[in-house]
Amino acid sequence: MSNTLNLFKKKEATLLFPTYGRYPVAIQRGQDYFLYDFSGKKYYDFLSGIAVCILGYNHPEITKVICAQSKKLIHISNLFYQEEQLELATKLQKFAPNFKIFFCNSGAEANEGAIKLVRKYFHSFKKQDRFEIITFSNSFHGRTLATLSATGQDKIKKGFSPLVPGFTILPFNDPEALKKHASNQTAAIMLEVIQGEGGIIPVKPQFVSALKEVCTQNDILLVIDEIQTGMGRTGKFWAHEHFDLKPDIITLAKGLGNGFPIGAVLAKPNIADALGPGSHGTTFGGNALACKVATTVLEIIEKNNLIFQAQEKGANLKQHLQLLQKKFPDQIKEIRGKGLMLGIELKQNAKLIWESLLKNGFILNLTQENVLRLLPPLIIEEEAILAFVANLEDILSKQN
């Protein structure tokens, strides 16, 4: 372990809350899809700051707009009309026609806002006492008390009881359980169409059919959490487009600001209008700098056709990984996901493999103990894909 890393660990122990299990790396800077530690070691980034830095690091257009906007206006609060908010909302509506938008600071805030919107809509607009929201096992919706309560993972709820009432967690991809429980007392169903923290698990066709059926029959709102899957990561701007789902509310964050904190709640106008003046708000959300950066991110995605590239590069990476699966059937159980959101499920605890990859200069995530989660920047190139696959192949061959 380097002297710099040791020094950081000692300082952090006395300065910061011990909330994070850090990787044994201290990053100094980034460029394109590479990260560099304080010794100058180069790492291929297959994590993107957990699906955030979709344009990589030190992007010249993003840097330029941050500098220019910071000289003009950073923050004035939501007491004023702001050109930058309207500009970003107009750009986002190209990907979500006929949706109104509320800007916030993070994914958890976006999901919190969606939960409040569901309750307010039924209470104030529909005049119905409906507040139950169905979520699913292994889901992840955030770490505020309400979004924690909505999350379908017991391990992150320990010590935070009592949880917020009103959430029912059903088995994911179980159409019969959904049909049996959902009723005209259910307000909304909230889900990730591809679970990220849950191990890159997509919804199944039978489950999608059941979802459409129960929402239509019972006037249930469909809330889709696109915080990790949105912004073109899966090869379409929204992951729900792969499954022909039509949400009433969408939540978005992560890649929207390419590292600058911003989130958004998108809702159909008749639902969005339930949150009138004074019913919800945020001090920092939708500030001028965040909105200008996010608008630029969307412009770069469009200009460089990065959604199609995510589809093509993801298919290429997945094909290489499937060939590895055939070569190592006793080690690789399944390759899952879409676009540049892929999971490699191993048949054993994957920590040693993850550690070997990190040592070799590849940053990725390990989730559910046996799934290697890949979330590279959309600008990732073929040489990085081939280098990763070759390294993984070498590591797996030494495990035999």
Side-chain angles (χ1 to χ4, degrees):
M1 190 177 295
S2 70
N3 291 333
T4 301
L5 188 57
N6 268 324
L7 178 62
F8 282 6
K9 287 184 71 175
K10 288 178 181 178
K11 282 188 173 183
E12 183 168 301
T14 63
L15 294 170
L16 304 181
F17 281 23
T19 48
Y20 300 107
R22 308 283 194 191
Y23 293 180
V25 180
I27 297 297
Q28 185 181 43
R29 64 184 183 91
Q31 181 66 50
D32 301 325
Y33 50 86
F34 293 108
L35 292 169
Y36 298 83
D37 68 15
F38 280 77
S39 70
K41 181 177 178 178
K42 181 170 73 173
Y43 296 83
Y44 288 91
D45 178 25
F46 276 76
L47 184 56
S48 305
I50 317 180
V52 170
C53 300
I54 57 175
L55 303 179
Y57 303 92
N58 198 23
H59 193 288
E61 291 179 64
I62 299 296
T63 302
K64 182 179 178 181
V65 81
I66 288 173
C67 291
Q69 183 63 39
S70 67
K71 293 177 182 179
K72 176 186 175 186
L73 192 66
I74 294 176
H75 172 83
I76 52 169
S77 89
N78 284 299
L79 295 174
F80 301 91
Y81 294 98
Q82 295 181 60
E83 178 185 31
E84 291 82 3
Q85 284 189 6
L86 298 175
E87 186 180 37
L88 175 55
T90 300
K91 181 66 73 173
L92 263 179
Q93 276 197 339
K94 292 183 68 175
F95 302 99
N98 303 315
F99 276 70
K100 285 188 171 183
I101 302 159
F102 173 85
F103 293 118
C104 53
N105 304 286
S106 68
E109 279 188 44
N111 281 338
E112 185 92 17
I115 291 164
K116 287 181 67 176
L117 177 57
V118 167
R119 291 190 173 186
K120 194 73 164 62
Y121 171 73
F122 277 102
H123 181 270
S124 298
F125 272 24
K126 302 286 280 187
K127 306 300 181 185
Q128 297 176 18
D129 187 25
R130 292 169 67 171
F131 58 85
E132 180 196 46
I133 297 177
I134 293 173
T135 61
F136 300 96
S137 57
N138 289 323
S139 62
F140 184 86
H141 297 294
R143 293 185 183 273
T144 65
L145 201 53
T147 56
L148 182 75
S149 302
T151 293
Q153 299 188 45
D154 289 339
K155 64 185 180 182
I156 67 168
K157 299 183 180 185
K158 291 179 180 177
F160 297 110
S161 297
L163 300 175
V164 176
F167 297 97
T168 298
I169 298 169
L170 298 180
F172 187 55
N173 272 330
D174 187 335
E176 295 309 312
L178 180 60
K179 288 179 182 179
K180 184 177 179 181
H181 182 85
S183 72
N184 59 11
Q185 293 304 302
T186 303
I189 294 171
M190 185 177 193
L191 84 156
E192 307 152 280
V193 293
I194 303 175
Q195 292 187 336
E197 292 285 338
I200 315 295
I201 312 289
V203 289
K204 293 180 179 178
Q206 305 94 313
F207 187 71
V208 170
S209 297
L211 193 64
K212 292 178 179 178
E213 181 183 324
V214 300
C215 285
T216 301
Q217 289 180 352
N218 298 288
D219 192 25
I220 295 171
L221 298 181
L222 178 58
V223 182
I224 296 188
D225 179 341
E226 291 269 9
I227 287 160
Q228 188 169 145
T229 53
M231 298 296 293
R233 173 154 296 283
T234 67
K236 292 185 181 291
F237 189 85
W238 304 114
H240 66 256
E241 296 178 85
H242 291 288
F243 306 98
D244 191 33
L245 284 167
K246 299 189 183 333
D248 299 292
I249 301 170
I250 306 168
T251 56
L252 177 65
K254 288 192 180 287
L256 180 58
N258 195 57
F260 200 97
I262 186 169
V265 185
L266 298 86
K268 292 179 178 178
N270 64 308
I271 300 166
D273 289 348
L275 286 180
S279 62
H280 191 52
T282 165
T283 297
F284 296 105
N287 69 64
L289 182 54
C291 287
K292 194 65 178 180
V293 170
T295 300
T296 306
V297 171
L298 290 167
E299 288 172 349
I300 292 168
I301 286 173
E302 279 192 296
K303 180 173 62 178
N304 295 288
N305 205 13
L306 290 181
I307 298 173
F308 177 75
Q309 286 192 43
Q311 183 184 104
E312 293 289 296
K313 293 170 182 176
N316 181 31
L317 175 55
K318 193 172 187 179
Q319 185 177 39
H320 282 297
L321 295 174
Q322 287 170 335
L323 290 173
L324 279 190
Q325 183 184 9
K326 289 180 180 178
K327 186 171 182 178
F328 301 100
D330 294 335
Q331 292 173 272
I332 300 178
K333 181 179 178 180
E334 189 177 9
I335 308 297
R336 294 190 296 265
K338 291 183 180 293
L340 290 172
M341 182 180 185
L342 298 175
I344 307 167
E345 183 177 355
L346 300 173
K347 293 184 177 180
Q348 70 276 359
N349 188 301
K351 187 176 181 182
L352 291 177
I353 292 172
W354 173 82
E355 287 175 343
S356 296
L357 284 164
L358 184 63
K359 184 179 179 181
N360 291 352
F362 294 88
I363 293 175
L364 57 146
N365 184 233
L366 175 62
T367 187
Q368 301 298 313
E369 296 185 346
N370 66 333
V371 179
L372 299 173
R373 178 168 53 156
L374 307 180
L375 301 163
L378 305 191
I379 62 165
I380 200 82
E381 294 179 357
E382 175 78 0
E383 65 92 12
I385 289 171
L386 294 178
F388 170 75
V389 172
N391 264 266
L392 180 58
E393 181 176 11
D394 182 60
I395 291 166
L396 291 173
S397 66
K398 292 174 181 175
Q399 296 282 316
N400 283 336

